[in-house]
Amino acid sequence: MCTICGCDSLTKHQYVNKRSDASKNSLHPNNTWQPAIDIITTQKPPRYLASNDNAKDTPVLNFGDNAAGVTVAGCESTRLVNLQKSLFAKNNTFAQQAREHLKTQHCLGLNLLSSPGTGKTTLLAETLSLLVKTLPCSVIEGDQQTTLDADRLAATGAQTLQINTGKGCHLDAHMMIQAFDRIPAPKSGVVFIENVGNLVCPAGFDLGEHHKIVALSVTEGEDKPLKYPDAFYHSSLLLITKTDLLPYVDFDISKCRQYAQEINPAIKIIEVSAKTGQGMGDWLNWLYEQISEMTSENQ
Amino acid sequence: MHEASLAEELIEIINATARREHFKHVKKVELEIGELSCVDPESLRFAIEALIYDSVLDLATINISQIPGRLQCLHCKKEFEGNSVHTACPYCQQFGTRIVGGDDMQLTELEIYEE
């Protein structure tokens, strides 16, 4: 509080533009635009303790350098701590560790996102049954509860680990590190990370994977890319699943493709049916392309 | 509700700062949320308020300012502001953008009560 007039304002009532200060910060090199909502400006708070800015160097105890030029015992005394800390920084550090682990293992990391019920697990089970004999595969399976999916995928012969997030709505990179401690990514193989069924939260968290893959079934709406753009923006591949059901539903596949490409022109789109096997070849070809791309990048 | 885990991360950073800077109560927390960060400001506020009881934040006001998303058109390469990756370029009217800013969430500043 200002000790002159009692307002919630600044030392000597001089307003400082917070953004212009922040733009000088090296952590904000590109932040030259203004915030949408202008926020409360910074203030140098009054003190009731002597200012100790130079306490160790000068033989002076200064009680008069606050706004009112005088100190009153009992008055509130505050100060500012400048931090500029990203709340994603910790996740990104763990994600980097996970990325390095994948690199040393020469293992492709794929992070699968979708809503609940898109058929990720069925597609994975089908994929694993085609791959396990020729390629080392493992699965990290994220769900709020139960080991149903991991049990189902373990039956294919792939090494699986279930992560139960409890109330959590997504996997984070710290969970990945702990999962890799338990089952390391298979050497020169693929680790499939099946994220918690949710198109919102998982999109915001880097797990150190090579690619995010978003799956969308034809029993959902073709407008899902518009409703949940972030998941589609961050993904390299869109799998349109359950295409065997197309004759029975009003799903406009060309509209779905158009929406996804408006959000991410580079996104690759493959239509698959784990039930009939349609499109499985294209999906596996895409997967092998990513492996060879990763191998040439690592060399 | 991934805002809950971000709120926990926020409180962890503030607790670590409290140990380093020797304070027991925070008066004000300044947060900046990018519009393209996948974080909803009101959900975050709700999550923080649920966690601050009996912590260094028990007296704190939480100020959240939103930083506009910054996008670059993939076709004409011009930059513009937008709060969704599904925004048509205002210069060439085409879809397809790359995020160049406003996708982070930062704890910028704390105002603390001195002991």
Side-chain angles (χ1 to χ4, degrees):
Chain A
M1 190 184 79
C2 162
T3 48
I4 298 172
C5 65
C7 72
D8 194 29
S9 180
L10 319 170
T11 309
K12 291 168 189 154
H13 296 89
Q14 277 174 354
Y15 284 80
V16 178
N17 185 312
K18 192 168 179 304
R19 286 306 312 165
S20 64
D21 284 350
S23 64
K24 285 178 203 144
N25 190 300
S26 61
L27 290 167
H28 282 255
N30 300 320
N31 267 2
T32 48
W33 65 96
Q34 295 292 312
I37 305 160
D38 216 11
I39 51 171
I40 298 170
T41 49
T42 55
Q43 71 181 100
K44 190 181 176 199
R47 299 159 184 267
Y48 65 88
L49 296 173
S51 136
N52 57 356
D53 294 344
N54 300 305
K56 285 188 180 112
D57 310 307
T58 59
V60 180
L61 273 176
N62 190 356
F63 285 87
D65 74 341
N66 61 31
V70 63
T71 296
V72 182
C75 270
E76 174 182 273
S77 172
T78 64
R79 77 183 154 95
L80 296 176
V81 180
N82 189 12
L83 287 163
Q84 313 287 347
K85 278 214 166 197
S86 169
L87 268 66
F88 292 115
K90 195 166 93 182
N91 187 72
N92 292 344
T93 309
F94 286 123
Q96 191 51 35
Q97 286 176 27
R99 215 181 315 281
E100 276 155 25
H101 173 74
L102 290 173
K103 198 173 176 187
T104 41
Q105 298 291 95
H106 301 287
C107 178
L108 182 72
L110 300 175
N111 179 2
L112 273 80
L113 321 180
S114 84
S115 341
T118 298
K120 285 192 299 294
T121 314
T122 306
L123 180 74
L124 261 187
E126 225 26 62
T127 307
L128 289 169
S129 65
L130 295 169
L131 283 180
V132 279
K133 288 200 179 98
T134 50
L135 193 69
C137 295
S138 72
V139 182
I140 295 170
E141 177 66 45
D143 281 303
Q144 285 198 318
Q145 286 180 15
T146 78
T147 58
L148 294 172
D149 281 0
D151 296 346
R152 193 170 148 198
L153 295 172
T156 63
Q159 203 176 15
T160 59
L161 179 73
Q162 178 78 44
I163 296 181
N164 284 147
T165 59
K167 299 290 175 214
C169 50
H170 62 275
L171 296 177
D172 64 42
H174 189 222
M175 295 173 183
M176 279 309 107
I177 295 299
Q178 293 173 78
F180 287 144
D181 275 347
R182 195 76 77 80
I183 56 161
K187 263 205 154 35
S188 309
V190 185
V191 55
F192 295 94
I193 304 157
E194 188 181 336
N195 221 310
V196 180
N198 177 348
L199 272 181
V200 186
C201 312
F205 289 83
D206 182 8
L207 302 182
E209 75 278 331
H210 290 89
H211 297 283
K212 283 192 173 76
I213 297 172
V214 60
L216 170 61
S217 70
V218 300
T219 55
E220 301 167 59
E222 65 270 348
D223 51 4
K224 273 261 167 88
L226 299 184
K227 289 177 176 170
Y228 304 96
D230 298 322
F232 293 83
Y233 175 85
H234 291 286
S235 295
S236 312
L237 173 68
L238 162 62
L239 289 171
I240 302 178
T241 60
K242 304 190 188 178
T243 50
D244 54 293
L245 294 178
L246 268 175
Y248 313 104
V249 291
D250 298 323
F251 184 87
D252 189 333
I253 253 186
S254 62
K255 272 229 169 90
C256 179
R257 283 173 166 271
Q258 181 203 324
Y259 294 149
Q261 281 166 337
E262 280 178 7
I263 288 154
N264 180 356
I267 201 166
K268 171 101 177 126
I269 303 171
I270 297 175
E271 298 167 18
V272 285
S273 164
K275 196 157 191 174
T276 64
Q278 183 231 331
M280 289 300 282
D282 294 340
W283 152 231
L284 294 186
N285 283 342
W286 180 88
L287 201 146
Y288 277 109
E289 274 168 32
Q290 306 317 310
I291 291 176
S292 52
E293 211 165 276
M294 173 194 69
T295 315
S296 57
E297 272 170 23
N298 280 358
Q299 276 163 1
Chain B
M1 189 53 184
H2 58 301
E3 283 79 4
S5 46
L6 292 168
E8 277 176 21
E9 172 68 15
L10 171 77
I11 287 173
E12 208 170 288
I13 293 175
I14 294 175
N15 281 336
T17 314
R19 285 192 294 274
R20 197 181 67 225
E21 302 269 338
H22 309 291
F23 61 83
K24 294 210 175 76
H25 297 285
V26 174
K27 185 180 180 192
K28 198 168 68 190
V29 180
E30 293 285 357
L31 295 172
E32 285 183 357
I33 300 185
E35 284 182 334
L36 299 172
S37 66
C38 311
V39 180
D40 177 60
E42 283 319 304
S43 304
L44 182 76
R45 185 186 294 282
F46 177 82
I48 295 170
E49 282 169 3
L51 292 169
I52 60 177
Y53 177 74
D54 215 15
S55 75
V56 289
L57 292 182
D58 53 0
L59 305 171
T61 25
I62 314 289
N63 281 336
I64 299 180
S65 50
Q66 275 201 293
I67 304 296
R70 193 93 194 137
L71 299 162
Q72 185 186 38
C73 174
L74 292 175
H75 309 281
C76 72
K77 309 289 178 203
K78 289 206 173 94
E79 287 190 15
F80 54 93
E81 275 179 15
N83 61 6
S84 163
V85 286
H86 188 246
T87 305
C89 171
Y91 302 100
C92 71
Q93 276 71 47
Q94 295 199 74
F95 284 104
T97 55
R98 186 174 75 87
I99 297 174
V100 288
D103 58 344
D104 199 0
M105 171 177 164
Q106 290 208 338
L107 166 60
T108 52
E109 196 171 71
L110 291 178
E111 185 178 353
I112 57 165
Y113 288 104
E114 289 202 293
E115 287 300 299

